[in-house]
Amino acid sequence: MEIGGKSKVFALLGDPVVHSLSPAMHNAAFRALGIDAVYVPLRCESDTVGALMDTLARQGGGGNITVPHKGRAAKELVRLGGPDLGVCNTFWGTEGGITGAETDSRGILAGLDSLGARNGSWLILGTGGSARTALGAAERAGARVAVRSRSEDRASEFLAQARELGLSIAAPEECTVVINCTPLGLNPSDPMPMPPELVPADTVGLDLVYRQGETGWVRALKDRGCRAEDGRVVLVEQGAAAFEHWFPGRPAPREVMNAAVRSFLE
């Protein structure tokens, strides 16, 4: 479908965005369903997030938020669907203004389900926006949580938020699931989010980062005998949930979206 003046525009707002497969995934979905819309990546600074969200929403579009702006985006909303985790990764326009939701937790649960590992205790790596969505997923799964962070203060604040959500706190050494919620792995030169040798062989690893041929951390965990996956399942399910917010009553074409992602990663 040719893009014209009536086409709705959706965008991924963040920094970096060049690596993202969200444009390929959503544009494939639009084409499959004959929707007059386009999805583009827009690298932006924090102080421009609100204006960009407002412009897109007013024109009947919307989009997604990625690192490091998920917290800032939540402050721009007039309404947030679901529990208030202080983050937003999906937004669209309504008569009242910018409405948003957090769909990453659905993606995390889908990723863990694909590994057969929703239950148990989770060690969450990181304390940023993606880590807070993992708390939302843990609340839905009834999982206990622990955190690993470079900052003791941020770790303490994170666990305090977990308690406010009614979550039980686990000791890191008793966790059977490790979830990388940091951006480490986006660049090949990044260090591992957690040294693989510190991950027991019977632990399940979910990396929210995805790369062609899997991330180095996932490969290292598999070499240790762990069950592990990168973030491709997470990407598709959170994207499908976002799509269904933008177009109520229209089921997202998950098979099409999944095929678009895998064509770039495999």
Side-chain angles (χ1 to χ4, degrees):
M1 181 175 294
E2 184 176 351
I3 301 303
K6 295 183 179 180
S7 302
K8 293 183 178 181
V9 179
F10 295 82
L12 176 68
L13 308 181
D15 186 14
V17 293
V18 67
H19 68 285
S20 178
L21 294 181
S22 287
M25 176 178 69
H26 283 298
N27 285 321
F30 297 158
R31 287 193 299 270
L33 297 184
I35 295 173
D36 186 9
V38 64
Y39 190 109
V40 297
L42 291 177
R43 185 180 67 83
C44 61
E45 303 295 332
S46 178
D47 59 359
T48 64
V49 168
L52 288 169
M53 291 173 66
D54 184 64
T55 298
L56 291 162
R58 285 178 181 272
Q59 299 303 316
N64 297 113
I65 308 294
T66 188
V67 293
H69 303 323
K70 294 179 182 181
R72 175 61 182 263
K75 299 177 182 178
E76 304 294 335
L77 304 177
V78 296
R79 185 172 67 84
L80 176 67
D84 185 5
L85 301 172
V87 293
C88 165
N89 76 301
T90 298
F91 69 95
W92 63 97
T94 59
E95 290 184 1
I98 307 171
T99 299
E102 178 281 300
T103 65
D104 284 335
S105 59
R106 283 180 54 175
I108 291 170
L109 290 176
L112 292 175
D113 284 344
S114 71
L115 289 163
R118 178 186 287 221
N119 299 322
S121 299
W122 304 355
L123 175 57
I124 299 171
L125 308 183
T127 56
S130 294
R132 280 182 275 171
T133 65
L135 290 181
E139 181 185 29
R140 293 171 62 183
R144 303 170 68 210
V145 298
V147 66
R148 178 185 172 100
S149 173
R150 292 176 295 181
S151 167
E152 291 186 10
D153 289 342
R154 287 177 63 87
S156 295
E157 293 173 0
F158 184 82
L159 292 178
Q161 184 178 19
R163 293 186 182 95
E164 289 175 1
L165 291 170
L167 296 174
S168 298
I169 307 304
E173 60 271 15
E174 66 181 290
C175 292
T176 56
V177 174
V178 181
I179 307 174
N180 176 32
C181 296
T182 77
L184 293 175
L186 286 176
N187 297 310
S189 59
D190 285 344
M192 298 283 184
M194 180 177 178
E197 60 271 18
L198 298 183
V199 181
D202 58 351
T203 301
V204 172
L206 177 64
D207 193 346
L208 301 195
V209 177
Y210 55 86
R211 290 186 61 83
Q212 186 174 30
E214 299 181 322
T215 62
W217 190 62
V218 166
R219 293 196 301 272
L221 292 184
K222 286 184 173 180
D223 287 344
R224 287 184 55 78
C226 299
R227 284 181 291 141
E229 285 188 1
D230 68 9
R232 62 191 69 189
V233 172
V234 179
L235 172 68
V236 172
E237 183 55 35
Q238 66 79 26
F243 181 98
E244 290 167 358
H245 280 298
W246 300 332
F247 305 101
R250 303 192 73 168
R254 283 173 171 78
E255 292 186 6
V256 170
M257 298 167 78
N258 183 59
V261 168
R262 292 188 178 276
S263 69
F264 283 90
L265 295 179
E266 295 182 347

